[in-house]
């Protein structure tokens, strides 16, 4: 813990945030309430406005509309240096002419903390990120992971109540990344700080965050805890963006869906995340929820096998439904020994595994 | 060695000879034990250097030139660095316009600039004043400062200043504590260039000289017109040494800047 103090995180409220660059709305009417001490991930494809939201929070971008409240105080017009927010950037931003400990002490110097006190607190922050004894080195004498940890120490040394991170791990290789993910999680629970974390890596978002906000073209698609996001995505974009999803075009009559091949499936009420009008719809099922069943089973759908891809513990089975729609199933390899491409078998969807969305496929 | 690089070598040596021969001719004459200029020099004496340093009029001109050069260096580094910042970090179109304006003093012949400034200074009473010289010399030295600083500034990641601001620094403090130290070697090296450009600038000095205060190059003109003694080559030797010192200093400074701004290790 830094200085034996717990900086409890600030609550953040984005209200109708909009940022236009010319005619392009990089952020379009985004409203999010972030709780004190929450770890929120912003997830979305490239250009979806994640960085713009973060930069607006940090004060580097001025939103064209909307408000940013931190602990109820309107911060929208405040310049970055008045926001008291810690920030870690995507690439290395340590000051090359300062030693590691001087880098970490920099925010304290800006806050006019006495020199001996700042060195003491900087050393303590370095200890928090497990870089004790590295203080006298120059930044370029550190590895990439170590540099980002120093940047992290610099961002938390003054006990800010909010920590912003814009893809801080994207420059690191996989092992280092996983190690740093745990490191950041540990810091978050130790410090109780509110964290907003931008990433385009869904695995990273799901493992680290309390809630994940999904963005597409500047608009908020869904904001939910990881499990809900994965198991009950709010729309087809969120469904297909996170993990794999089978999408089967169907006709919906208000209770039963009819597949292209003519089979009908009765849907349980919980398959509808949001109300779906009768008509064209898409039935979504995660591949790992698809089951191989007997031809005699009530919900059996005939599938012609195209590919059987063995991958150790699990096997990916790819086939076509009667109307040609591709369908994928992930099954334990123990059950897949006698599957052959070109043969026909039967698949079924457990009631709790089906989700229905209105409109065409994404 | 193929014929092309042979030709290139020949060319380089020809240029070097062209540049060096006048210096090689003039330098020994500074030590000539005669009252007039002659080549090859006769005898050996340091008398002319003593003449220069012992003469109060030469010393006054030296001090005057040094004052102007120092002020020019100061003005161009401060204004030039700010301009450069706007140029490199600022909005595109204004930057391009500005760059055009900066190249102006390089392509316009100094004599044209001198005539224009002469007319302008006549009206404003700046002729022969320190302010007038500093203004005129800053105009011609500015591009060298801006281009030297720009070389360093483009290699400094703008995100460093963002990082400093997120740490609580104002934009100006971020510049002062982060960007400036990183480009300082080039700023100083630009200042040295400005100093030397001002210090041995002859054309503008010729047009703008007042009756009382004259710069060193202007005094040299006067001396050449009246009585051509080996004190002129002696001063030439001193000026050449100063230029070499400045160039070496600037080169060392820029080496230092390459070391501090080099990209961090990525592993
Ligand atoms: N300064 C700017 N001027 C003009 N357009 C911009 C500017 N900054 C961002 N944009 C545009 O706004 C949109 C959102 O950009 P943003 O950087 O927020 O995306 P992102 O989600 O962070 O993407 P990435 O994953 O690639 O970092 C993009 O279309 C981008 O081109
Ligand atoms: Mg981004």
């Amino acid at each position: 813990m830094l200085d034996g103090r717990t900086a409890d995180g600030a609550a953040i409220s984005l209200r109708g945030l909009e940022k236009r660059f010319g005619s392009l709305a990089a952020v379009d009417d985004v409203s999010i309430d972030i709780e004190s001490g929450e770890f929120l991930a912003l997830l979305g494809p490239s250009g979806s406005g994640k960085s713009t939201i973060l930069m607006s929070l940090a004060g580097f971008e001025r939103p064209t509309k909307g408000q940013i409240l931190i602990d109820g105080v309107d911060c929208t017009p405040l310049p970055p240096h008045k926001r008291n927010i810690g920030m870690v950037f995507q690439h290395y931003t340590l000051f090359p002419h300062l030693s590691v400990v001087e880098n970490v002490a920099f925010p304290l110097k800006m806050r006019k903390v006495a020199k001996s006190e700042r060195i003491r607190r900087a050393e303590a922050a370095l200890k928090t990120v497990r870089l004790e004894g590295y203080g006298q080195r120059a930044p370029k004498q550190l590895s990439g992971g170590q540099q980002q940890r120093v940047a992290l120490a610099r961002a938390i040394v003054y006990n800010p109540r909010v920590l912003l991170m814009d893809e801080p791990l994207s420059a690191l290789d996989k092992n280092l990344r996983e190690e740093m993910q745990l490191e950041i999680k540990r810091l978050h629970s130790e410090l109780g700080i509110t964290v907003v974390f931008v990433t385009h890596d869904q695995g990273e978002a799901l493992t680290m965050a309390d809630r994940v906000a999904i963005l597409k073209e500047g608009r908020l698609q869904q904001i939910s805890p990881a499990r809900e996001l994965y198991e009950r995505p709010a729309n087809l974009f969120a469904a297909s963006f996170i993990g794999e999803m089978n999408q089967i075009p169907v006709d919906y009559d208000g209770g039963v869906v009819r597949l292209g091949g003519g089979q009908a499936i009765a849907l349980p009420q919980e398959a509808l995340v949001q109300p779906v009008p009768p008509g064209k719809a898409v039935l979504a099922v995660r591949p790992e929820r698809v089951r191989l069943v007997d031809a005699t089973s009530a919900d059996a759908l005939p599938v012609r096998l195209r590919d059987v891809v063995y991958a150790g513990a699990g096997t990916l089975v790819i086939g076509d439904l009667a109307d040609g729609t591709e369908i994928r199933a992930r099954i334990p390899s123990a059950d897949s020994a006698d599957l052959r491409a070109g043969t026909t078998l039967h698949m079924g969807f457990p009631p709790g595994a089906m989700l229905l969305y209105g409109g065409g496929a994404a | 060695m193929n014929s092309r690089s042979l030709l290139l070598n020949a060319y380089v040596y020809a240029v070097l000879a062209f540049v060096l021969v006048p210096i090689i001719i003039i330098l020994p004459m500074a030590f000539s034990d005669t009252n007039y200029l002659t080549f090859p020099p006769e005898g050996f004496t340091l008398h002319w250097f003593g003449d220069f340093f012992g003469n109060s009029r030469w010393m006054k001109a030296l001090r005057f030139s040094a004052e102007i050069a120092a002020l020019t260096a100061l003005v161009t580094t401060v204004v030039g660095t700010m301009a450069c910042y706007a140029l490199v970090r600022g909005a595109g179109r204004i930057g391009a316009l500005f760059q055009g304006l900066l190249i102006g003093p390089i392509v316009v012949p100094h004599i044209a600039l001198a005539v224009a400034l002469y007319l302008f200074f006549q009206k404003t009473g700046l002729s022969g004043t320190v302010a007038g010289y500093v203004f005129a010399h800053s105009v011609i030295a500015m591009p060298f400062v801006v281009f030297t600083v720009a070389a360093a500034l483009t290699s400094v990641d703008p995100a460093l200043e963002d990082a400093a601001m997120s740490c609580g620094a104002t934009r100006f403090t971020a510049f002062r504590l982060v960007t400036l130290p990183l480009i300082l070697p080039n700023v100083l090296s630009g200042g040295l260039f400005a100093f030397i450009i001002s210090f041995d600038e002859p054309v503008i000095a010729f047009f703008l000289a007042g009756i009382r205060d004259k710069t060193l190059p202007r005094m040299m003109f006067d001396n050449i017109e009246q009585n051509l003694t080996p004190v002129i080559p002696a001063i030439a030797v001193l000026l050449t040494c100063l230029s070499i010192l400045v160039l070496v200093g600037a080169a060392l400074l820029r080496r230092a800047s390459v070391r501090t701004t080099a990209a961090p290790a990525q592993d």
Side-chain angles (χ1 to χ4, degrees):
Chain A
M1 192 87 358
L2 286 180
D3 234 28
R5 262 187 283 163
T6 312
D8 60 328
I12 302 171
S13 181
L14 306 180
R15 295 200 182 150
L17 199 67
E18 180 198 89
K19 176 70 187 178
R20 293 189 160 276
F21 295 106
S23 62
L24 174 93
V27 179
D28 194 356
D29 193 22
V30 168
S31 297
I32 303 177
D33 281 307
I34 307 168
E35 275 171 44
S36 161
E38 182 172 359
F39 194 126
L40 179 80
L42 298 179
L43 180 65
S46 190
S48 56
K50 308 181 293 290
S51 296
T52 308
I53 291 180
L54 209 71
M55 286 301 183
S56 307
L57 261 171
F60 292 109
E61 297 280 8
R62 191 77 176 267
T64 37
K65 233 190 240 169
Q67 272 185 317
I68 296 166
L69 307 184
I70 298 179
D71 270 338
V73 180
D74 186 0
C75 292
T76 326
L78 284 187
H81 65 274
K82 295 214 173 123
R83 297 201 178 194
N84 218 27
I85 283 176
M87 179 137 187
V88 179
F89 294 79
Q90 176 168 4
H91 45 257
Y92 310 128
T93 54
L94 297 184
F95 310 130
H97 59 301
L98 301 181
S99 69
V100 164
V101 70
E102 285 168 336
N103 261 282
V104 178
F106 188 87
L108 300 174
K109 189 173 172 185
M110 293 301 105
R111 286 161 179 77
K112 309 227 168 11
V113 176
K115 177 146 194 189
S116 58
E117 170 76 359
R118 3 190 234 265
I119 299 300
R120 194 183 63 71
R121 283 173 63 184
E123 297 282 4
L126 281 173
K127 191 172 168 194
T128 318
V129 297
R130 301 180 205 235
L131 281 177
E132 243 177 326
Y134 285 78
Q136 295 316 312
R137 294 212 195 175
K140 61 180 143 183
Q141 291 173 307
L142 301 182
S143 71
Q146 289 170 332
Q147 288 191 43
Q148 281 307 63
R149 274 193 281 168
V150 175
L152 196 55
R154 184 178 64 183
I156 58 174
V157 72
Y158 49 100
N159 299 321
R161 305 185 59 214
V162 178
L163 178 60
L164 307 179
M165 293 190 261
D166 193 350
E167 307 199 31
L169 310 181
S170 62
L172 308 180
D173 65 38
K174 190 167 170 290
N175 286 338
L176 207 51
R177 204 144 99 193
E178 281 167 8
E179 194 183 306
M180 283 291 288
Q181 287 172 2
L182 295 178
E183 194 84 18
I184 292 170
K185 272 308 279 178
R186 180 181 61 81
L187 268 178
H188 171 244
S189 58
E190 261 180 39
L191 302 178
I193 193 170
T194 306
V195 177
V196 183
F197 187 99
V198 166
T199 178
H200 60 247
D201 177 340
Q202 47 165 299
E204 196 164 278
L206 294 180
T207 49
M208 294 181 81
D210 297 323
R211 280 193 303 164
V212 180
I214 301 224
L215 291 152
K216 178 198 178 193
E217 292 164 9
R219 301 191 70 95
L220 184 63
Q221 302 294 309
Q222 179 168 12
I223 175 162
S224 323
R227 177 179 284 273
E228 187 181 329
L229 194 65
Y230 190 79
E231 293 177 2
R232 299 192 64 76
N235 56 36
L236 264 184
F237 175 79
S240 52
F241 190 71
I242 303 275
E244 284 180 299
M245 189 65 99
N246 288 304
Q247 297 184 20
I248 305 158
V250 292
D251 276 317
Y252 178 57
D253 70 0
V256 170
V257 291
R258 202 164 289 281
L259 275 62
Q263 305 92 337
I265 304 176
L267 279 188
Q269 194 51 45
E270 72 259 25
L272 276 63
V273 181
Q274 268 155 21
V276 177
K280 290 230 168 296
V282 174
L283 183 66
V285 187
R286 297 268 180 213
E288 70 272 17
R289 306 291 300 273
V290 175
R291 295 274 164 268
L292 301 189
V293 295
D294 286 334
T296 55
S297 169
D299 60 344
L301 300 170
V303 173
R304 195 173 164 76
L305 278 194
R306 242 198 290 147
D307 257 316
V308 179
V309 185
Y310 177 79
T315 295
L316 172 64
V317 181
I318 306 174
D320 294 315
L321 289 172
D323 64 342
T325 305
E326 181 181 288
I327 185 151
R328 294 170 174 237
R330 288 193 180 274
I331 59 173
S333 289
D335 305 343
S336 71
D338 47 357
L339 297 184
R340 296 282 173 273
T343 59
T344 296
L345 51 67
H346 292 83
M347 293 186 183
F349 308 143
M354 293 182 285
L355 296 166
L356 190 73
Y357 299 98
Chain B
M1 192 185 285
N2 59 34
S3 61
R4 228 184 112 177
S5 59
L6 201 68
L7 248 161
L8 187 70
N9 272 343
Y11 175 73
V12 168
Y13 285 120
V15 169
L16 273 181
F18 194 72
V19 172
L20 285 178
V21 163
I23 298 176
I24 290 170
I25 290 177
I26 213 88
L27 293 195
M29 292 203 277
F31 303 94
S32 176
D33 199 4
T34 52
N35 271 340
Y36 47 89
L37 282 184
T38 172
F39 192 85
E42 293 161 21
F44 177 84
T45 179
L46 293 177
H47 172 83
W48 301 112
F49 290 91
D51 244 25
F52 172 67
F53 286 110
N55 181 321
S56 68
R57 289 184 58 224
W58 280 120
M59 284 303 100
K60 196 167 156 235
L62 180 68
R63 275 196 303 275
F64 190 59
S65 276
E67 184 191 351
I68 290 166
L71 285 172
T72 302
L74 188 71
V75 168
T76 48
T77 44
V78 173
V79 177
T81 303
M82 293 193 308
C84 193
Y85 191 79
L87 203 68
V88 174
R89 296 282 160 84
R93 254 166 300 165
I94 298 174
L97 180 77
F98 212 71
Q99 200 148 14
L101 282 178
L102 272 172
I103 295 173
I106 299 183
V107 294
V108 173
H110 285 184
I111 188 97
L113 198 67
V115 171
L117 285 173
Y118 175 73
L119 297 174
F120 174 59
F121 283 5
Q122 287 289 307
K123 288 224 159 62
T124 49
L126 281 171
S127 253
T129 63
V130 172
Y133 278 114
V134 171
F135 179 86
H137 286 173
S138 295
V139 170
I140 55 174
M142 192 67 79
F144 295 91
V145 175
V146 171
F147 290 129
T148 310
V149 174
L153 196 55
T154 42
S155 74
V156 174
D157 187 350
L160 288 182
E161 272 180 37
D162 286 354
M165 284 191 279
S166 80
C167 289
T170 60
R171 180 166 280 284
F172 179 71
T173 305
F175 173 78
R176 189 169 56 87
L177 294 183
V178 176
T179 308
L180 187 59
L182 292 172
I183 62 171
L184 193 60
N186 279 46
V187 172
L188 293 180
S189 131
L192 282 178
F193 278 131
F195 184 92
I196 207 71
I197 287 168
S198 163
F199 197 72
D200 56 13
E201 196 288 321
V203 181
I204 286 172
F206 198 80
F207 275 81
L208 299 188
I211 312 296
R212 288 183 318 112
D213 293 322
K214 289 178 175 162
T215 65
L216 192 57
R218 177 60 210 250
M219 275 288 283
M220 291 169 77
F221 271 124
D222 287 1
N223 183 282
I224 290 167
E225 272 177 7
Q226 291 153 18
N227 48 345
L228 189 56
T229 62
V231 80
I232 296 294
I235 299 172
V237 168
L238 292 172
L239 286 179
T240 308
C241 291
L242 184 68
S243 294
I244 291 171
L245 271 178
V246 163
L247 283 176
V248 170
L252 289 178
L253 280 169
R254 265 174 305 165
R255 260 233 217 107
S257 110
V258 169
R259 267 203 307 278
T260 50
T261 53
Q266 313 227 342
D267 48 347

